[in-house]
Amino acid sequence: MSEFMDMGGYAAFIWPAWGLSVLALSGLVVMALAERRAAAERLRRLESDEA
């Protein structure tokens, strides 16, 4: 298991890259959900203005 975690001596480069990738993808998911929520709210307001 320690050989896997060491990644053949490249762990100092691989693990931060994985961490940054997970962080970036998580941020994109959060931003997409926030935009979806905002778009739904805008749609609700527009639909209520038409009535």
Side-chain angles (χ1 to χ4, degrees), residues 16-51:
W18 271 95
L20 288 174
S21 298
V22 167
L23 184 65
L25 290 173
S26 298
L28 287 171
V29 168
V30 168
M31 287 173 43
L33 291 173
E35 181 61 30
R36 180 176 185 250
R37 190 174 300 120
E41 178 63 25
R42 282 193 308 270
L43 178 60
R44 188 193 61 75
R45 279 196 323 263
L46 287 170
E47 287 177 339
S48 68
D49 287 346
E50 288 178 1

